[in-house]
Every structure is written in structure tokens, then in C-alpha cells.
Amino acid sequence: MAPTPPGKPATRVHVVSDVHGNARDLARAGEGADALVCLGDLVLFLDYADHSRGIFPDLFGVENADRIVELRTARRFAEAREFQTRLWASLDGDRPAVIEKAVRKQYAELFAAFPTPTYATYGNVDMPPLWREYARPGTTVLDGERVEIGGRVFGFVGGGLRTPMRTPYEISDEEYAAKIEAVGEVDVLCTHIPPEVPELVYDTVARRFERGSRALLDAIRRTRPKYALFGHVHQPLARRMRIGTTECVNVGHFAATGKPWVLTW
């Protein structure tokens, strides 16, 4: 970071992504900052490191969570969907209603943990229709929109692209590209998913390429923001790289680290 000129107070922004139920550390994530930025994935459906945590094991037990992780890790997505279908059929109640009830419980705790001000966008496992219900005064939800923080313009694009995982907020490449275009030129471009660069989208533990955005990569090259910040890939091959004049940063898997990434100017 460039040094702050004498007599000018520094602006400090803390950035988190992939919170996945970590409300305890989220409540402290804004300490010492002028603002908190959250790049989504608040919900914890299933913790791949600890299969006892999340909505899935709460409903179906750890043994079934072990099995679904095994199938997904082996990229046997059709088998995983069939297995889940059988599990859901064994439950009483409507599947969407059961999921929404569990998500609402997590959102109530997580949104209460956000400091003021917080600027947030959705991750691919989030349920956008619920956010405006839980966002309190002081929390601004943005998607395909811009906001000024400390004299710099931040652009926000939420969600992920379509995958065999079929997570709740996956959209088409065209819809995602339209949101990138709507944001336009900004100083800091904030997204949930990374640009489509192999080193940034490959997860070294899951041993697979996650979906990144070509439209995001093109926008970074064309508009040259000072920073492009994102999450989504929990254990990336590269956490940071420069594309032209833009510093691209995976701000980290907050659920595991409990520590925000710090931006000052």
C-alpha cells in the first residue's frame, strides 16, 4: 500500500468472503476499520473440512454428509444428486421450506454480526430474496452496483456461474456479464467469483477448477481497476496476481481463517 500523506488520515476497509456460518469472527471483522466489505457465501450448507457442521448434517447426519462429500469430490455429480433426492424424500415437509427455515436461522445470526457500515454482495450459495429482509440499517446490499467508500468507487457483482453443483444463486454467463457491464469503471471491483485465470480458479484441496468469469477478466483488462477482490475458491493455487495494472486478490476463506483482508489508502 502507498504511504498516507502527512496530515491525511488513512481509510481502512476490511474485506471478507466465504463466511459460511462463522458469525463469531464476523462480529469482530470490522474492528478498527472504516467499513466492512463482504463478498458473499454467508450460508453454511456443508463444511467439507468438518462434515458435522452445516444444514446438511443437521438434517441427515454426519454419515450421509461423509458420503455426499465423497461423491462430489470424485465429481460423481449425478450420483450425488440421486443420493440427495433419496434423502430428501425420507424427510417430512417440503424441501424448499425446510431449507429456507434453516437458512433464515443462519441469516438472523450472521446479519446481526455485521458492523456499521457494511457493504455486501451475494455468493453462489446465498439466497438473495432473503437478504433485504435481514439487512439492518448500516448494511448496504449491492449487486451490479457501485458505491463510494472513502473517496474510492467500489463496484459489486454477486453470485456465481452455473455448475453441476446447482447451488442457489448461479446465473447465466450473459446475466453475469450484464452486471459486470453495469458496474463499469471503478477503483475496486468486488465479486464473489474470480476472473477466469487457471491459477485463481484452481482449488488445490478439492483438486478441481471452480468456475471463474471470462467477462470479469475482460473487464479487468479493459477498465483497469486498481484492485479486483474476490473469494469463492477456498484454497487457490495463487491467492494474488497482477493482471495488467490491476492487483487481483483472493481475500480468503473467512470461515476457516476468521481474519479479514485489509485495504488501506
Side-chain angles (χ1 to χ4, degrees), residues 15 17 54 86 119 124 129 141 155 187 209 213 220 239 243 255-256:
V15 189
S17 186
R86 292 196 300 272
Y119 302 91
N124 60 292
V141 179
D187 299 306
F209 290 96
S213 169
I220 290 169
R239 291 201 174 275
I243 298 175

Side-chain angles (χ1 to χ4, degrees), residues 22-38:
N22 189 349
R24 182 192 62 187
D25 290 323
L26 185 62
R28 300 192 293 262
E31 290 179 357
D34 296 287
L36 178 72
V37 166
C38 178

Side-chain angles (χ1 to χ4, degrees), residues 103-122:
V103 170
R104 283 182 176 276
K105 182 180 179 181
Q106 290 191 11
Y107 277 169
E109 184 178 12
L110 290 160
F111 276 91
F114 277 142
T116 297
T118 291
Y119 302 91
T121 197
Y122 317 111

Side-chain angles (χ1 to χ4, degrees), residues 1 12-19 22 24-39 115 229-230 240 249-264:
M1 309 296 175
R12 182 182 178 98
V13 172
H14 290 181
V15 189
V16 301
S17 186
D18 300 87
V19 175
N22 189 349
R24 182 192 62 187
D25 290 323
L26 185 62
R28 300 192 293 262
E31 290 179 357
D34 296 287
L36 178 72
V37 166
C38 178
L39 305 184
L229 309 179
F230 48 86
R240 194 166 186 152
V249 184
N250 183 318
V251 300
H253 181 199
F254 185 76
T257 67
K259 297 179 181 178
W261 186 79
V262 178
L263 176 63
T264 61

Side-chain angles (χ1 to χ4, degrees), residues 48-222:
Y48 277 58
D50 180 354
H51 303 170
S52 68
R53 297 182 64 243
I55 294 171
F56 190 94
D58 286 349
L59 293 174
F60 302 116
V62 177
E63 185 175 334
N64 287 322
D66 291 340
R67 178 59 176 162
I68 202 71
V69 170
E70 178 187 358
L71 291 172
R72 287 179 174 178
T73 302
R75 303 185 67 78
R76 293 156 61 184
F77 296 117
E79 289 180 63
R81 285 194 293 271
E82 291 172 6
F83 181 62
Q84 286 189 93
T85 299
R86 292 196 300 272
L87 290 175
W88 283 108
S90 70
L91 281 186
D92 292 329
D94 177 64
R95 175 177 176 173
V98 171
I99 293 176
E100 182 175 319
K101 181 180 179 181
V103 170
R104 283 182 176 276
K105 182 180 179 181
Q106 290 191 11
Y107 277 169
E109 184 178 12
L110 290 160
F111 276 91
F114 277 142
T116 297
T118 291
Y119 302 91
T121 197
Y122 317 111
N124 60 292
V125 302
D126 286 311
M127 297 177 68
L130 299 181
W131 275 42
R132 298 199 183 272
E133 181 177 339
Y134 286 93
R136 304 175 304 170
T139 297
T140 303
V141 179
L142 302 124
D143 190 15
E145 300 165 280
R146 302 147 56 102
V147 69
E148 185 176 312
I149 305 173
R152 285 189 174 179
V153 178
F154 285 63
F156 290 80
V157 175
L161 298 175
R162 288 176 181 155
T163 72
M165 301 287 278
R166 299 183 182 179
T167 52
Y169 191 40
E170 294 181 355
I171 60 177
S172 70
D173 289 63
E174 293 76 18
E175 186 179 351
Y176 195 89
K179 292 195 294 184
I180 292 287
E181 187 67 24
V183 165
E185 294 187 14
V186 295
D187 299 306
V188 184
L189 184 52
C190 300
T191 59
H192 177 68
I193 62 174
E196 191 180 78
V197 177
E199 295 88 344
L200 298 177
V201 300
Y202 186 74
D203 191 304
T204 59
V205 173
R207 292 180 295 176
R208 66 170 179 257
F209 290 96
E210 303 290 354
R211 282 216 65 189
S213 169
R214 180 72 191 191
L216 174 57
L217 177 60
D218 291 343
I220 290 169
R221 288 172 170 164
R222 184 179 68 254

